[in-house]
Amino acid sequence: MRQILTGGDIFRKDGFLRRDLVIENGIVAGIGVGDSNGGNLIDCWGHSILPGLVDVHVHLREPGFSFKETIASGTAAAAAGGVTAVCSMPNLNPAPDDLEHLEVQLKAIQKDARVRVVPFGCITRGQKGTGELAALEAMAPYVAGFSDDGRGVQEDALMEQAMRLAKRLDRPIVAHCEDNRLLRPGGCIHDGRYAAAHGLVGISSKSEWRQVERDLKLAAKTGCRYHVCHVSTKESVALIRQAKRAGVAVSCETAPHYLLLCEDDLADEGRFKMNPPLRTAADRDALLEGLCDGTIDVIATDHAPHTALEKSRGLAGSLMGVVGLETAFPVLYTKLVLGGVLSLASLVEKMSLAPRRLFRLPGGLDVGASADLAVFDLGKEYMVDPETFSSMGRATPFAGWRVRGESRMTMVKGEVVWQRNTQER
Ligand code: DOR
């Protein structure tokens, strides 16, 4: 089958090219002009064609928590956000800590996923962050890496053991860094000005960066590929920058909300509550600096849907987590690219090229690649309205924001997996 995307502006690292993009049997076959014979034409006039975005940190909630999100609804949200591949986190029931448990998720993915989904296997048995290792070796062929996201691995020796095995299996350790010894019961937001003013229990920066510090030493010692999840503190950025300079095989991600918001933006609403929490303006600025100087490799959403009820109890009582798949590109494009902080090429690097490279996922716009791509109308301005989301989760700190950059169509393996209904908005 031959398809031709006509008239679109095709993303290249050094700018856009207005050409026809030819796809044959799901593979990018060529980029040219006047090659529009004998194929299925898809009109992309006035729109930009980007390599499909890759989100390496999403919670799809199935199996176990399908009342919050399913593989079907979560991957529909991904497709609607221009995301063609996601890595799914293992805080599920059953948690993927051995092959049998992982297979429950793999079957659901095979049945219902609209975009590529590559799961993470647990680091520890039962995803407890303590005790014994999960069945890393048996799961390795099917997973993007190993993570206990939602929890830090508490014991140094256990993390070292995990890293040694992951290194042998050639898979990264993808770490949620949180030292439980430094947490206080009821911690709900950053341990800063807002918490002090409102009598709320804080979550210290140290609970994150102390574990980053420990893990970087272990990564240097073991030679394991080590990826830090949702970096939120200036101290973590500095530690990772230093480790990279020293040659440690470390990569890291942060999420749109840590780059665009801080504790000064808090209101007593569940949609501002996530773990790690929004930190200070100085942390936010350090993250932006780290993004620009290459310390932060990837932007991932930590898409973490909960029900409306679970998010209705303010900062103290709501569950932690916000959705992000359908807002990540437009909020970052609007604030960072149009705001003059980052080039569009750099944003595409952080949201598509780097995560695809680091986690060895297919797709893109190069000739010979699987045609996984996203078509955006970069000029279109609209308001973020959670009621229009494909995700079952609606809690986002970006509700009501006016943004530019509307997704129009998403393709995976040359197949249109999502298209915006022109009646919408
Ligand atoms: O805010 C969060 N939500 N942080 C996590 O680490 C876990 C996640 C979830 O699963 O809801």
Side-chain angles (χ1 to χ4, degrees):
M1 181 161 98
R2 191 175 157 86
Q3 296 166 97
I4 300 140
L5 274 58
T6 59
D9 296 315
I10 303 170
F11 175 84
R12 306 320 270 156
K13 271 193 184 148
D14 48 1
F16 283 93
L17 265 182
R18 184 162 298 175
R19 296 281 189 278
D20 295 332
L21 182 80
V22 183
I23 299 169
E24 273 170 18
N25 299 322
I27 304 291
V28 178
I31 291 170
V33 198
D35 193 9
S36 308
N37 306 321
N40 179 20
L41 293 188
I42 301 176
D43 182 7
C44 292
W45 267 100
H47 296 161
S48 301
I49 304 175
L50 305 182
L53 307 179
V54 174
D55 191 338
V56 299
H57 195 135
V58 307
H59 297 267
L60 296 178
R61 306 299 193 204
E62 187 183 355
F65 303 92
S66 299
F67 56 95
K68 299 176 193 261
E69 188 82 292
T70 62
I71 303 274
S73 64
T75 58
V83 176
T84 55
V86 300
C87 296
S88 58
M89 286 298 173
N91 49 349
L92 300 167
N93 187 16
D97 59 1
D98 64 21
L99 197 49
E100 194 188 326
H101 290 155
L102 176 65
E103 269 171 358
V104 182
Q105 191 191 166
L106 291 173
K107 280 196 186 121
I109 291 168
Q110 206 168 24
K111 187 165 139 288
D112 287 336
R114 253 204 233 196
V115 303
R116 293 177 196 270
V117 181
V118 187
F120 289 116
C122 298
I123 298 174
T124 60
R125 180 77 59 192
Q127 202 233 343
K128 291 195 165 60
T130 180
E132 54 176 324
L133 284 189
L136 271 52
E137 188 149 11
M139 294 191 288
Y142 310 99
V143 297
F146 301 104
S147 180
D148 269 358
D149 187 62
R151 285 207 180 92
V153 174
Q154 300 304 316
E155 289 133 38
D156 306 359
L158 192 61
M159 189 53 137
E160 182 170 344
Q161 209 188 336
M163 284 193 186
R164 286 197 190 284
L165 186 49
K167 156 99 177 141
R168 184 158 70 68
L169 299 169
D170 193 22
R171 289 288 177 281
I173 289 286
V174 176
H176 171 119
C177 289
E178 188 167 23
D179 185 331
N180 291 351
R181 292 168 305 187
L182 300 173
L183 297 177
R184 286 187 288 151
C188 59
I189 57 166
H190 177 62
D191 193 10
R193 278 206 329 231
Y194 190 101
H198 294 82
L200 293 168
V201 182
I203 301 170
S204 69
S205 294
K206 198 172 178 183
S207 63
E208 173 182 293
W209 67 257
R210 273 297 282 271
Q211 205 163 76
V212 172
E213 185 178 49
R214 175 203 66 183
D215 284 357
L216 288 169
K217 285 185 189 139
L218 293 176
K221 189 170 163 191
T222 60
C224 169
R225 276 194 285 143
Y226 173 65
H227 179 84
V228 191
C229 291
H230 43 53
V231 172
S232 71
T233 68
K234 56 185 187 311
E235 293 86 355
S236 300
V237 176
L239 286 162
I240 294 165
R241 182 180 290 121
Q242 201 179 19
K244 282 191 165 188
R245 283 194 189 133
V248 178
V250 56
S251 58
C252 71
E253 70 189 38
T254 191
H257 38 274
Y258 305 118
L259 292 166
L260 303 180
L261 299 166
C262 67
E263 63 173 351
D264 305 342
D265 301 299
L266 284 172
D268 190 11
E269 296 173 39
R271 67 194 182 92
F272 292 102
K273 183 173 179 182
M274 71 291 288
N275 188 29
L278 298 176
R279 304 278 185 192
T280 65
D283 291 295
R284 180 201 57 204
D285 293 349
L287 290 167
L288 286 169
E289 200 184 328
L291 191 70
C292 294
D293 75 9
T295 304
I296 297 176
D297 306 84
V298 166
I299 304 174
T301 62
D302 196 0
H303 178 85
H306 295 290
T307 66
L309 186 65
E310 289 167 334
K311 294 298 288 177
S312 69
R313 300 180 181 122
L315 289 170
S318 295
L319 293 187
M320 288 170 157
V322 294
V323 295
L325 282 165
E326 290 165 88
T327 51
F329 183 83
V331 295
L332 292 167
Y333 176 69
T334 305
K335 294 292 176 188
L336 299 189
V337 177
L338 298 179
V341 178
L342 203 66
S343 67
L344 178 56
S346 300
L347 185 62
V348 172
E349 164 71 15
K350 308 285 181 189
M351 296 187 77
S352 173
L353 309 182
R356 184 172 278 116
R357 232 177 14 246
L358 278 169
F359 290 87
R360 301 177 182 166
L361 300 168
L365 296 178
D366 293 334
V367 172
S370 173
D372 294 17
L373 55 88
V375 179
F376 278 89
D377 180 348
L378 294 180
K380 174 76 190 279
E381 187 181 323
Y382 68 96
M383 192 187 77
V384 173
D385 175 7
E387 291 310 311
T388 66
F389 287 171
S390 297
S391 172
M392 288 160 64
R394 298 285 148 89
T396 168
F398 302 120
W401 280 34
R402 287 211 75 78
V403 292
R404 269 177 205 261
E406 186 181 58
S407 54
R408 305 299 309 176
M409 182 188 78
T410 303
M411 268 188 164
V412 176
K413 302 180 196 169
E415 196 188 317
V416 177
V417 293
W418 178 85
Q419 204 159 12
R420 184 168 298 283
N421 173 351
T422 45
Q423 313 306 318
E424 285 172 48
R425 283 203 263 273

